Amino acid sequence: LFFFVCFVYCWRYFQAQLWTLNQTYEESMRLLGETNAAVEMHNHGGCAMDFSGIDIGLVKSAIQHAQGGQPVDGSEAMATVALLLYAETLQYNLKSAIKEDAEWYQRFMPLSVTILELVISRSVVKLVQQLIDEDGSVKDSASSALKHSRDQVRLLESKLYQLMNSLVQNKMSETSILVRCALLEEKTCEGQLQSPEICLFCSGSGGESIIEPLSAVPLNDELQQAKALVAKAEADVLLKISEKMRVDIGDIEKLLNKTIELDVINARATYSLSFGGTCPDLFLAETKDGDLAIDMLLGNRNARAGRTLYIPKAYHPLLLQQHRQKLRKARKDVTNATSEIRRRNQGEIMNQNEETNINLSSFEMLVAVTKLEQSPPIPVDIFVAQKTRVLVITGPNTGGKTLYLKTIGLAAVMAKSGLYVLSSEPVKIPWFDSVLADIGDEQSLSQSLSTFSGHLRQINEILKHSTSKTLVLLDEVCS
């Protein structure tokens, strides 16, 4: 479930980035450096980042209330404390790792600097913990006025319930008619028709009435006044927290923004690790005499030398995700079936046919799991020579040509966005300024002119926007 949530988070972020892929080469390298640092923090163990306990929405709301001079909510205050305390814990873990081995500082760069520069407002943490309970309610001890008002409310409620019980017990007789008890607008109402009372509500359907005995009126009014004082005292306490936050609002807001950045970086790293990705060797192609001259950063002995694209055993991200989901579900079905067999063996007597059917069903599930384990998605090898400018992929229908194109495009976009490429071996890929594609379903020979014209317009737009550093993907171009 954790990996699935991280996948969904990363994939939504990735989809959003597809429409704004305007990173420069330097920005892409920075993103990859951040992802590498987060991966190192995961591998270290003690410095792994986990922001699941922080409610970003509540913290944002607290900041808005504090900036506007309004009282924060108790849950907002506690969410802010959770953010501050986690940042403090993250700093402590990082400092401990560096103290253990100074080399970790460089291995976690540039995140080391980002985390160590976080400003934690201890005074806000201390104040909130003094005044607010863990469930977000204001503590009785937050102020003397609040404690006095709450004590008064409890006392008045006790007196009212005692009065109601007394009225019902003392005045109940065979000839009397007991009126239904109810709570109406925070007022305790109970009594009998034969005693003096005020009718608060009369039902037109069943003739029922909700009444308030006259003897309860003063107590009820006093109770409402006491509850109003409680609400005011609580608001005063929450306003005090809001004013304290406003003093450090710049640091808190900056901490929130940095936390969101770290969360995105951590999501990229978690996704890359969970699917076994590889950090791409992203290089910048230079234009020379109209051709691509690759800046060869590696020696000639390396298998990647002389390649514009070198992506061995690459997977399409969604195919890999779907396979894992199916495998997870199949394994869960087997576990549930096994548990059911044990339960029935212990508590029920089954006839031979029932037992055979259950065992057969369980066996079929095991076979399904085995098949899934033995038939993972087939990776593709993407090797493009240095001087190759156009690559044409041919083959029969349902042979995987479109999937191959999409895998190349996604690998390029993922590398540019700071994500690892889903390949089981080291990857070399150029930085593309754009990835432009015209990929759709196969078209029959009887396709309409409008579809044909649409493809022409799409390709014409691609030609207008493409450069020597653009990756262009065209599916079924000959049709």
Side-chain angles (χ1 to χ4, degrees), residues 156-186:
L156 291 169
E157 285 178 340
S158 176
K159 286 182 177 181
L160 271 169
Y161 280 110
Q162 288 176 7
L163 175 62
M164 295 301 101
N165 288 332
S166 174
L167 287 173
V168 171
Q169 292 172 4
N170 295 338
K171 297 185 178 181
M172 184 179 295
S173 66
E174 293 182 2
T175 59
S176 67
I177 303 173
L178 182 66
V179 178
R180 180 166 61 91
C181 306
L183 286 174
L184 179 64
E185 296 180 353
E186 297 289 336

Side-chain angles (χ1 to χ4, degrees), residues 283-332:
F283 63 93
L284 186 63
E286 297 177 354
T287 305
K288 185 182 292 185
D289 297 329
D291 291 325
L292 288 177
I294 306 302
D295 182 15
M296 302 303 296
L297 302 177
L298 303 170
N300 292 329
R301 295 182 181 180
N302 195 296
R304 292 174 286 176
R307 305 272 190 188
T308 298
L309 271 172
Y310 182 82
I311 313 177
K313 296 181 174 58
Y315 291 94
H316 189 292
L318 290 181
L319 277 186
L320 200 58
Q321 164 66 12
Q322 290 169 2
H323 177 262
R324 289 196 177 187
Q325 277 185 314
K326 291 178 181 177
L327 188 58
R328 191 181 299 114
K329 182 180 183 303
R331 286 171 177 167
K332 184 178 180 181

